[in-house]
Amino acid sequence: MKFVILACLAAVAVAAPRPQDEIAEVLRDERQDAGDGNFNYAFETSNGIVVSAVGTPGAEGQSNIEGSFSFVLPDGVNAEVRYIADENGYRPESELLPTPYPLPDHAIRQIAIAEQQRAEGITFE
């Protein structure tokens, strides 16, 4: 769900109206691939898009990637997302992403009781 929201935010940022004569130029484009699963890349454009990532081979055959991307929102604010993608999935971090409301005290107490019961071997059918 968070990825969908993030993708929508990126699409809105990219689709924002811009003057016809403004064409983004690539300011930096660095790529390295060792061929063994280790790689990194970074690029930056004149319209404020910055992307970087480092990849390493994962223990379960996947690529582990740690990276970030940022872009300028229509109101001029710089939006940044940092992420890790590995055997535990894709985990983005950003102030842009919504967070769940804190659990109320009674819910926290119920969770603690359930954990205690589980530890004691109590089960319910």
Side-chain angles (χ1 to χ4, degrees):
M1 178 67 181
K2 291 180 183 179
F3 180 73
V4 171
I5 291 170
L6 180 63
C8 290
L9 285 172
V12 168
V14 171
R18 302 187 192 276
Q20 291 294 331
D21 57 14
E22 182 181 340
I23 297 175
E25 296 178 16
V26 176
L27 303 176
R28 178 173 58 118
D29 186 354
E30 301 169 358
R31 303 167 196 241
Q32 294 180 337
D33 187 346
D36 60 358
N38 291 291
F39 65 89
N40 62 55
Y41 61 84
F43 68 85
E44 182 176 356
T45 63
S46 61
N47 63 353
I49 297 172
V50 179
V51 178
S52 66
V54 174
T56 56
E60 297 179 21
Q62 81 287 350
S63 291
N64 291 341
I65 305 171
E66 186 170 343
S68 67
F69 58 91
S70 65
F71 51 92
V72 180
L73 295 171
D75 62 1
V77 173
N78 190 46
E80 181 176 14
V81 177
R82 296 191 170 283
Y83 65 89
I84 295 175
D86 58 16
E87 63 274 355
N88 297 314
Y90 177 74
R91 299 183 309 281
E93 293 181 6
S94 174
E95 292 180 8
L96 298 173
L97 298 174
T99 57
Y101 292 105
L103 290 174
D105 289 337
H106 72 276
I108 294 171
R109 287 192 303 272
Q110 288 175 332
I111 292 169
I113 290 168
E115 288 174 351
Q116 179 182 358
Q117 290 174 336
R118 200 173 300 119
E120 294 171 0
I122 298 172
T123 59
F124 297 94
E125 305 249 351

